[in-house]
Amino acid sequence: MTYTFDTQKARGDAGESFLDQVFAADYEVRPATRAEQRRGIDRIFTHRQTGRRLTVEYKTDYKAAHTGNAFVETVSVDTAGKAGWAYSSAADYLIYYVPATK
C-alpha cells in the first residue's frame, strides 16, 4: 500500500474530529496554536465543571486493530536522529484512537 501525505492527513483529521466530538460533552476543546503544535500538542481541553486545563496529543491508528500492535514513533527523521512524538511531545495526555474498535 502506498501512503500519500494528503490521504494520511485526511485520515488523521477524521480521527481528530471524532475525538473532539467524544470529549466535547465534558470539555471545551480548542485546537492547539502553531506554537503548541510544534511542542506536540493537538488540543487544549478545559473541563466544563472544574475549569481544569489539559494539553492533549491525539494519535489515530488504523492498523492497530488488525495487527494487535500500536505504532509508537520513537524516531521522526532517522537520518537526522530527530526524536519521534513518543519522546518529544509536551502534552499532558496522549489519546490513542483505534477507529476499528472505537
Side-chain angles (χ1 to χ4, degrees), residues 25 27-28 39 41-45 49 53 55-56 65 67 69 75 77 94 100:
Y27 295 90
E28 177 184 320
R39 295 178 42 231
I41 297 167
D42 291 318
R43 297 292 189 273
I44 308 299
F45 286 6
Q49 292 182 346
R53 183 180 168 274
T55 56
V56 176
T67 65
N69 297 307
V75 177
V77 181
L94 167 67

Side-chain angles (χ1 to χ4, degrees), residues 4-21:
T4 66
F5 176 81
D6 291 339
T7 300
Q8 293 305 105
K9 174 141 179 36
R11 294 180 92 190
D13 289 348
E16 289 179 353
S17 179
F18 175 80
L19 291 170
D20 285 348
Q21 291 174 28

Side-chain angles (χ1 to χ4, degrees), residues 12-80:
D13 289 348
E16 289 179 353
S17 179
F18 175 80
L19 291 170
D20 285 348
Q21 291 174 28
V22 168
F23 290 100
D26 294 315
Y27 295 90
E28 177 184 320
V29 179
R30 174 181 66 78
T33 64
R34 299 265 309 167
E36 291 164 337
Q37 288 175 356
R38 284 191 292 276
R39 295 178 42 231
I41 297 167
D42 291 318
R43 297 292 189 273
I44 308 299
F45 286 6
T46 304
H47 194 269
R48 294 189 186 282
Q49 292 182 346
T50 67
R52 183 173 179 217
R53 183 180 168 274
L54 309 170
T55 56
V56 176
E57 180 163 2
Y58 285 163
K59 292 297 173 191
T60 301
D61 189 333
Y62 284 88
K63 293 208 170 256
H66 303 290
T67 65
N69 297 307
F71 176 77
V72 178
E73 182 186 72
T74 57
V75 177
S76 177
V77 181
D78 59 351
T79 57

